[in-house]
Amino acid sequence: MSPTTDIPLSSDITSRRWQLTERLKRPPTVASSLTKGTWHLLVMHEKRPGTREHLSLLATNSTPACERAFEQGQAAGTQAV
């Protein structure tokens, strides 16, 4: 995905009431951070010479229930919840 093909994707996402909160263009990485309600979405596109191009998506939800589950997991010694 080049920066020119990223424009329609960003337009489509923001048209669905996602708010673009940050944009990073530092080759070989293009990243966008979006927010909608309690959800946060990070979209990263990397294209490094000699390696395969890849797209990473990370979605997180910040709610009191999620925070409690995370704290309980940490107290129990769990690394991931």
Side-chain angles (χ1 to χ4, degrees), residues 8-72:
L9 175 63
S10 295
S11 296
D12 189 43
I13 290 173
T14 55
S15 72
R16 295 170 190 239
R17 291 187 268 177
W18 282 89
Q19 179 183 0
L20 182 64
T21 54
E22 190 174 354
R23 181 114 169 111
L24 170 71
K25 281 187 172 181
R26 203 176 310 152
T29 303
V30 175
S32 297
S33 178
L34 301 112
T35 302
K36 182 178 181 182
T38 59
W39 283 96
H40 304 284
L41 179 65
L42 177 64
V43 181
M44 286 184 20
H45 173 248
E46 292 188 273
K47 185 176 183 182
R48 298 181 186 272
T51 64
R52 286 190 154 175
E53 185 172 0
H54 69 276
L55 182 68
S56 302
L57 299 170
L58 174 66
T60 59
N61 190 358
S62 301
T63 63
C66 290
E67 291 298 321
R68 277 193 303 278
F70 180 76
E71 289 169 5
Q72 289 170 350

